[in-house]
Amino acid sequence: MKNYTIQERFFIFLGLICFGTWFTGYYYHYKWDKEIQESMHKNDEISERYLAHSMTKSMAIDHWKAMYFGQKNFSIMLEKQVDVINNYWSQENSKLRDQLFDLTNMSSSRTRDAIVPPEK
């Protein structure tokens, strides 16, 4: 067995300390990097879930808005059709009332002429 001098022992000790420091730094750097990557992965999963949930809500809101506005426009269209039909039959009813009034207030000879429309 060889006896090392004090300088050789010092350099061996210094080399072991440097190697140990480098290895310890590498170990903790790897450990922290792994924890950061796991944390980021978990956060990504959470973000993906909330994003999917938010997208689903957005799509549902858009769907129900479209349904509401579609029904609203359909109702407006039906109201216009009902108004047109109501105006038509109001005019027809008004004509019939005028004819009935004329029939009830005319003499009997003129009544026959009013009942039978003239031929064209």
Side-chain angles (χ1 to χ4, degrees):
M1 179 143 162
K2 181 180 176 188
N3 287 332
Y4 292 107
T5 64
I6 191 79
Q7 286 180 336
E8 290 175 338
R9 290 180 191 170
F10 174 73
F11 286 122
I12 291 172
F13 174 74
L14 189 61
L16 289 173
I17 292 296
C18 288
F19 181 72
T21 304
W22 174 81
F23 182 76
T24 305
Y26 178 78
Y27 170 76
Y28 282 111
H29 178 72
Y30 175 77
K31 179 181 165 186
W32 293 332
D33 187 51
K34 186 176 176 183
E35 289 175 2
I36 290 170
Q37 292 298 326
E38 288 174 358
S39 176
M40 289 176 65
H41 182 68
K42 287 178 186 177
N43 288 337
D44 286 345
E45 288 177 354
I46 291 169
S47 296
E48 286 176 7
R49 270 190 278 136
Y50 283 119
L51 180 64
H53 188 65
S54 176
M55 292 288 285
T56 303
K57 281 183 180 179
S58 259
M59 289 171 55
I61 289 169
D62 290 342
H63 170 74
W64 288 111
K65 275 185 187 177
M67 294 293 289
Y68 169 76
F69 287 123
Q71 288 299 320
K72 182 179 177 183
N73 290 336
F74 184 70
S75 297
I76 290 170
M77 183 186 67
L78 287 178
E79 286 176 4
K80 288 179 183 177
Q81 287 179 356
V82 167
D83 287 341
V84 167
I85 292 170
N86 187 28
N87 288 337
Y88 173 78
W89 286 112
S90 293
Q91 291 172 357
E92 290 296 317
N93 190 20
S94 177
K95 287 179 188 176
L96 288 174
R97 284 185 181 186
D98 289 344
Q99 287 178 359
L100 180 63
F101 178 78
D102 290 343
L103 286 175
T104 56
N105 293 327
M106 289 183 152
S107 65
S108 62
S109 65
R110 294 181 70 197
T111 304
R112 270 185 254 121
D113 294 337
I115 293 173
V116 179
E119 292 183 19
K120 293 183 182 181

